[in-house]
C-alpha cells in the first residue's frame, strides 16, 4: 500500500505559483528533444561554442581537484579571481573596480542576471530591454517582481536599439535598462557612439543599466564597447561578464558581476542565501583563463569568424536575406520569402530537411519572420545545412 498517493489534480494545479505559471517555457529547447532522436540531423540551434575548453584551463581545474581544493569559497568568490577580473577589466577597458567590494563571482551570467534583478527591483518596477533579446531577460525580470517592457528594434537598423525608442518607454516606474550587446539572437554589435546615446537617456532619467556582456570577446572587425566605460556610467552600470563563450566554458558555470559596492553588497546578499558560492574548481580554472587564455580566445574567435562569413554568404545566396552580424555566434536571416512564420519554418525545416534552427519569435515579437542560426558548428555541417535550407527555400519560396 502506498501512503503517498499523489496529490489530486486540482491540488497539483494550485501548487505552482501564478508567477511561474505565467512564464512561457524557453522556445529554444522545444525542438531539441525531437532532434536528439533524428539520425543525420544538423543543429544550428544551441548557442554554445563547439570547442572543448582549452586544455591548460581544464588542467588548472583538474589540478585543484587533485590537490583536494574542493571546499566552498567565500561568498564573493576567490579573491585571486576577483583580482584577475579587476585586472582584466582594467587592461581591456581602462575600468577600475575594487576586487574586495565591487566584484562578485557568480554562477555564470545567468545567475548574475537573476541577482541583478532581485537586488534592484521593487514590485512593479519596470525594466526596458530591446526586442528581440535573450530569452532569460523577461523571465528574470518577472520572477524578481518587475515588469518587462520590450523596445522594438528593426532590421533596417540591424536590430540596434534606438535611444529615442528607449526614452519613449521611460515612466516613473522605470528602474533599469537591460542591454545585451553583442546581441543574442541577432548578432548585432552597437558602436560606442550609439551606446552613448542610450547612456544619455539612462543618466537623464536616473535609470540603472544592466549590461550583459557575455559575448564581449566574440566580435568580428568591430570593437566591443563596455557600457561601464562610457563617461559617467561606471557608477550607474551593473556589468555582467563570464567565461562560457570566450573560453568555451559553458558547463563550468562561472561568471562575474561588477558594480558599485552598494549594488554588489545587495547582490551578494541574495547570492549567499541562494547559491553560497560559484563552484571552486570552475573559479580556479577561470583564474587560469584570465591569466593565460588570451591566445586560445583569439584562435577560437578567428575560427568563428571564418564560419560566420560562410553562413552569412550562404543565406544571402539562397535568398534568405541576412544583415551582417558583427558579434556573438549567430546569423539572423529573414525567412519571410517562404511565407511561413518563424515557428512553422523551424518546425518544417526540421521535419523535411533535418536542420534545427530557433524561431526568432522565441526572443520577442520583433523576432517574428527570422530564425536564429548558430555557426559554432563544423564548417562541413554548416555547408550541408545551407544546401538543405536552399532546397527547402526553393520548395517553399514564392
Ligand atoms: N546572456 C546571453 C545573452 C546568453 O546568450 C547566454 C547563454 O547563451 C547567457 C547570458 C548565459 O551565460 P552563462 O553561461 O554565463 O550563464
Amino acid at each position: 500500500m502506498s501512503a503517498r498517493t499523489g496529490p489530486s489534480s486540482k491540488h497539483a494545479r494550485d501548487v505552482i505559483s501564478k508567477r511561474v505559471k505565467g512564464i512561457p517555457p524557453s522556445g529554444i529547447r522545444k525542438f531539441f528533444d525531437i532532434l536528439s532522436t533524428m539520425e543525420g540531423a544538423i543543429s544550428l540551434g544551441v548557442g554554445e561554442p563547439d570547442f572543448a575548453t582549452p586544455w591548460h584551463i581544464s588542467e588548472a581545474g583538474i589540478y585543484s581537484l587533485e590537490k583536494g581544493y574542493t571546499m566552498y569559497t567565500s561568498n564573493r568568490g576567490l579573491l585571486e579571481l576577483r583580482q584577475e577580473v579587476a585586472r582584466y577589466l582594467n587592461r581591456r577597458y581602462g575600468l577600475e573596480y575594487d576586487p574586495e567590494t565591487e566584484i562578485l563571482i557568480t554562477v555564470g551570467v545567468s545567475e548574475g542576471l537573476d541577482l541583478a534583478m532581485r537586488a534592484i527591483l521593487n514590485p512593479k518596477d519596470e525594466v526596458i530591454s530591446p526586442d528581440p533579446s535573450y530569452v532569460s531577460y523577461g523571465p528574470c525580470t518577472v520572477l524578481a517582481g518587475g515588469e518587462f517592457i520590450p523596445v522594438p528594434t528593426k532590421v533596417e537598423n540591424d536590430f540596434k536599439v534606438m535611444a529615442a525608442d528607449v526614452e519613449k518607454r521611460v515612466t516613473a516606474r522605470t528602474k533599469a535598462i537591460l542591454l545585451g550587446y553583442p546581441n543574442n539572437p541577432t548578432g548585432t554589435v552597437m558602436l560606442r557612439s550609439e551606446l552613448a546615446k542610450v547612456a544619455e537617456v539612462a543618466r537623464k532619467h536616473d535609470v540603472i543599466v544592466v549590461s550583459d556582456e557575455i559575448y564581449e570577446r566574440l566580435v568580428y572587425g568591430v570593437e566591443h564597447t563596455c557600457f561601464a566605460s562610457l563617461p559617467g556610467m561606471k557608477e550607474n552600470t551593473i556589468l555582467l561578464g563570464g567565461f562560457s563563450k570566450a573560453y568555451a566554458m559553458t558547463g563550468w558555470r562561472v561568471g562575474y558581476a561588477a558594480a558599485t559596492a552598494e549594488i554588489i553588497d545587495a547582490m551578494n546578499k541574495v547570492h549567499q542565501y541562494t547559491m553560497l558560492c560559484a563552484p571552486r574548481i570552475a573559479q580556479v580554472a577561470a583564474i587560469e583563463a584570465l591569466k593565460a587564455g588570451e591566445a586560445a580566445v583569439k584562435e577560437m574567435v578567428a575560427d568563428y569568424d571564418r564560419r560566420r562569413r560562410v553562413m552569412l554568404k550562404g543565406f544571402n545566396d539562397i535568398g534568405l536575406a541576412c544583415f551582417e552580424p558583427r558579434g556573438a555566434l549567430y546569423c539572423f536571416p529573414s525567412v519571410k520569402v517562404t511565407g511561413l512564420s518563424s515557428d512553422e519554418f523551424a518546425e518544417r525545416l526540421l521535419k523535411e530537411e533535418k536542420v534545427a534552427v530557433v524561431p526568432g519569435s522565441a526572443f520577442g515579437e520583433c523576432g517574428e519572420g527570422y530564425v536564429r542560426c548558430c555557426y559554432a558548428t563544423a564548417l562541413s555541417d554548416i555547408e550541408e545545412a545551407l544546401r538543405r535550407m536552399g532546397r527547402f527555400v526553393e520548395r517553399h519560396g514564392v
Side-chain angles (χ1 to χ4, degrees):
M1 185 192 85
S2 164
R4 283 174 164 257
T5 54
S8 72
S9 60
K10 178 175 186 309
H11 183 72
R13 268 204 304 279
D14 293 338
V15 159
I16 308 304
S17 85
K18 288 197 180 88
R19 196 175 267 172
V20 171
K21 274 193 210 166
I23 290 173
S26 164
I28 296 189
R29 301 261 147 200
K30 206 163 111 185
F31 298 106
F32 298 113
D33 293 342
I34 317 173
L35 183 73
S36 59
T37 63
M38 252 183 197
E39 219 170 291
I42 298 174
S43 177
L44 307 178
V46 181
E48 67 177 332
D50 63 336
F51 292 106
T53 305
W55 181 244
H56 67 101
I57 297 175
S58 292
E59 214 169 25
I62 294 165
Y63 187 61
S64 90
L65 268 179
E66 281 176 354
K67 283 289 214 183
Y69 297 146
T70 51
M71 321 81 180
Y72 297 130
T73 67
S74 77
N75 296 134
R76 286 169 189 258
L78 292 171
L79 181 58
E80 191 186 351
L81 177 54
R82 285 182 276 143
Q83 286 166 336
E84 283 304 329
V85 170
R87 268 186 217 120
Y88 172 78
L89 293 173
N90 182 260
R91 68 175 175 266
R92 214 160 168 83
Y93 303 116
L95 286 160
E96 302 226 355
Y97 285 102
D98 177 355
E100 305 262 358
T101 59
E102 296 181 321
I103 289 175
L104 176 69
I105 303 303
T106 59
V107 181
V109 168
S110 302
E111 194 211 358
L113 275 168
D114 180 41
L115 294 178
M117 292 306 157
R118 289 207 264 172
I120 64 174
L121 295 183
N122 287 309
K124 306 266 184 232
D125 277 354
E126 293 172 354
V127 175
I128 298 174
S129 192
D131 176 352
S133 62
Y134 181 50
V135 289
S136 292
Y137 295 169
C140 274
T141 303
V142 171
L143 287 171
E147 290 191 10
F148 190 68
I149 312 293
V151 188
T153 62
K154 295 189 199 129
V155 73
E156 293 88 308
N157 305 318
D158 291 359
F159 292 102
K160 292 176 184 187
V161 73
M162 300 289 116
D165 293 336
V166 173
E167 188 158 28
K168 267 189 233 151
R169 283 160 183 87
V170 173
T171 71
R173 297 210 316 240
T174 304
K175 189 64 177 279
I177 299 169
L178 169 51
L179 300 176
Y181 294 101
N183 184 262
N184 177 2
T186 60
T188 282
V189 175
M190 284 193 47
L191 304 177
R192 193 172 185 84
S193 55
E194 296 161 340
L195 286 172
K197 291 184 187 149
V198 181
E200 197 47 54
V201 173
R203 248 195 314 268
K204 183 168 153 198
H205 297 279
D206 196 19
V207 168
I208 297 169
V209 173
V210 179
S211 188
D212 170 357
E213 300 186 20
I214 186 78
Y215 293 104
E216 48 131 10
R217 299 308 308 277
L218 307 191
V219 284
Y220 314 100
V222 283
E223 213 171 279
H224 172 72
T225 300
C226 181
F227 203 88
S229 73
L230 292 165
M233 286 315 289
K234 190 198 146 200
E235 276 64 40
N236 206 26
T237 301
I238 303 179
L239 166 61
L240 303 175
F243 299 84
S244 290
K245 314 289 174 170
Y247 301 96
M249 290 177 71
T250 47
W252 293 80
R253 310 309 305 129
V254 60
Y256 57 85
T260 60
E262 185 191 18
I263 292 174
I264 290 296
D265 259 350
M267 288 172 70
N268 186 40
K269 214 191 248 182
V270 182
H271 171 77
Q272 72 190 0
Y273 290 125
T274 53
M275 202 59 69
L276 215 159
C277 67
R280 176 182 280 263
I281 296 144
Q283 292 191 48
V284 172
I287 293 171
E288 173 66 16
L290 289 176
K291 279 186 168 165
E294 197 52 34
V297 172
K298 291 205 170 98
E299 252 176 63
M300 290 190 277
V301 170
D303 208 86
Y304 296 139
D305 193 16
R306 278 191 285 277
R307 298 186 251 174
R308 177 186 72 101
R309 287 161 197 262
V310 170
M311 187 179 268
L312 175 65
K313 179 171 183 312
F315 281 141
N316 285 308
D317 285 352
I318 62 176
L320 295 180
C322 190
F323 72 97
E324 181 172 3
R326 304 302 291 260
L329 294 169
Y330 315 105
C331 284
F332 201 59
S334 167
V335 296
K336 291 176 187 171
V337 284
T338 62
L340 301 170
S341 71
S342 314
D343 243 16
E344 286 165 345
F345 182 96
E347 220 160 288
R348 290 219 204 160
L349 181 67
L350 183 58
K351 282 199 189 122
E352 295 174 26
E353 294 288 349
K354 296 189 179 175
V355 176
V357 299
V358 183
S361 52
F363 304 92
E365 279 178 25
C366 298
E368 179 51 53
Y370 300 83
V371 293
R372 190 194 77 173
C373 302
C374 176
Y375 45 79
T377 192
L379 203 50
S380 56
D381 279 351
I382 292 175
E383 282 162 351
E384 175 58 21
L386 285 166
R387 272 191 289 278
R388 295 184 192 184
M389 289 172 84
R391 275 200 307 257
F392 182 85
V393 172
E394 256 175 41
R395 271 203 308 283
H396 294 275
V398 283

